[in-house]
Amino acid sequence: MSAPVVTPSAALSNVRGSAIRDLLSLTERPDVLSMAGGLPATELIPQERIALAAQRAVGDRNLLQYTVSAGLRECRDAIARHEGIDDPEQVLITHGSQQALFLLAHALVDPGDLVVVDDPVYVGALQVFQSVRADVRGLPLTDRGIDTDLLEQWCEAGARPVIVHTVSSFHNPGGVTADDGRRAHLARLAERYGFWIIDDNPYGQLRFRGTEPTPWRHFGDRIISLGTVSKILAPALRVGWCVAPTAVIALVERLRQGADLCGSTFTQAMVADLLTDRDWLDGHVESVRDAYRSRATALVDALTTHLGSAAEFTAPEGGMFCWVRLPGVDTTALLGEAVEHGVAYVPGSAFAVSRDAGDCLRLSFATLAPADIDRAVTRLAAASGV
C-alpha cells in the first residue's frame, strides 16, 4: 500500500523551512565544535534549585490540575514583579515565548497585512508571520537597532504596518541592542501610524557589559513585550509570557483556549517559586552573565587573533550571539568545508529577508568553553583559507 499524499495548506506552503534546524543534523558529529545552535549552556542550568521547586510543587495536589488560560495567578504575579509592571492582568503565560508570538500573529494579523521585521531576522518570527500569510518586509538592522528612519520614510510613503517585530536587546542573530533614541522613535511612529511593536526579549537579562537601555514600557502604550525563562533558568520549563494592554491579552487568551486550553500548572508553579526567590535568582543570573562574559571575550580574542582584518564584527555586550561578516566569502558554500574542519555555524543567508547576508554568519558563544571557542575559530580560519 502506497503512503497517502499529504497536501500542505496554503498557510503552511508559505512558511520557509528552518535552515538552523536542518543544520543541527550536520553538527552531531562528536568531532565538530558547534557554534550554530542558539542553546543556553547546559552546565549553567540550576538543576538542584529546579529540583527543589519541583519537589515543592508536586507536594500540592492542586498544582497537578488544570489552570486558567491566562496562567497560574501566582506565576503571573511573579512575572509582573519580574518585569516591573503593576498589573498582573497585563500578563499571559504561554508555552515558551514562541507560542506567545504565534498567538499574537493569529490574533492581530489578517492575510495580506504588512508586518515589518528585522533584517536579518529571527527565523522563528519570520515563520510565524509567514504562517498567517502576512506581507513581510525586512527593515535593515544597524548597530543602534532597526533603521527607524527608513521605517518613517516607508510610513510617510503610505506603508501601514500592523506589527513591527524586533529583538531589541542582544539581537538574534545580529547581536546589537536598540538604544533609547531608536526605541523612542519607534514608539512615536507606532502612536502616529497605529501599529503594534512586539519586542521579543529572551536575552535582555544577559547583559554583561555596557549600559542597560530604558525599558520599553516607558516609551508608550502600543508595545507588547515577550519574555521567557528559557535563557536564564531552563528551556524545558517551557514558560514564556506576553505583557500587553489588557485588550490584547483578552484576544490572545481567547485564541489560546482553542490551541491548548492552558499551560502546565506544575511548571508555572515552579517558575513562580524560582522568580520569587530574588536573592537566589539574582546570584544565579549573575553567574550566567559571568560565564557568558568570559566566553564572549574568548570569541572576540579568537576572531581578532585568527581572522584579523578578514572579519568584521561588533564585540557582544550580552546575549548569546556574535554576527560576523567575512567580505568576499560565501558562508553558505563555506559551511561544508568548515564542518569537515570540525566547526559549525549558521550562514547569514538563513536569516536574510531581502538584504544580502551571504557573506555573514552567526556564531553562538554560549555553549563552548573559552579554550574550545579558540579552537573553533582556528578551524574556521583554516576552512576559510585566511
Side-chain angles (χ1 to χ4, degrees), residues 156-176:
E156 288 175 345
R160 292 295 179 268
V162 173
I163 286 171
V164 173
H165 174 275
T166 186
V167 182
S168 64
S169 294
F170 314 123
H171 187 271
N172 177 11
V176 301

Side-chain angles (χ1 to χ4, degrees), residues 154-299:
W154 289 354
C155 291
E156 288 175 345
R160 292 295 179 268
V162 173
I163 286 171
V164 173
H165 174 275
T166 186
V167 182
S168 64
S169 294
F170 314 123
H171 187 271
N172 177 11
V176 301
T177 295
D179 62 21
D180 282 2
R182 288 288 169 90
R183 292 173 189 233
H185 189 199
L186 184 58
R188 290 196 301 272
L189 294 176
E191 293 292 340
R192 188 183 311 163
Y193 294 105
F195 59 79
W196 291 101
I197 300 167
I198 298 180
D199 175 45
D200 212 337
N201 187 29
Y203 312 106
Q205 292 188 73
L206 298 178
R207 174 174 290 279
F208 44 74
R209 294 192 190 93
T211 304
E212 197 78 30
T214 302
W216 272 106
R217 63 182 178 274
H218 296 292
F219 289 106
D221 298 323
R222 301 194 64 83
I223 296 153
I224 301 168
S225 295
L226 308 185
T228 179
V229 298
S230 292
K231 306 305 186 293
I232 61 168
L233 295 177
L237 292 170
R238 304 314 301 138
V239 171
W241 55 84
C242 168
V243 175
T246 54
V248 173
I249 293 295
L251 291 178
V252 177
E253 184 177 6
R254 188 195 332 162
L255 187 61
R256 198 264 175 85
Q257 290 166 354
D260 64 356
L261 296 181
C262 66
S264 166
T265 312
F266 182 66
T267 58
Q268 289 176 26
M270 292 167 59
V271 168
D273 181 344
L274 294 162
L275 293 183
T276 302
D277 189 353
R278 291 304 313 183
D279 289 342
W280 170 83
L281 182 67
D282 291 346
H284 165 68
V285 172
E286 189 58 39
S287 70
V288 175
R289 291 176 184 145
D290 288 344
Y292 287 173
R293 179 187 297 111
S294 174
R295 296 172 191 196
T297 298
L299 177 58

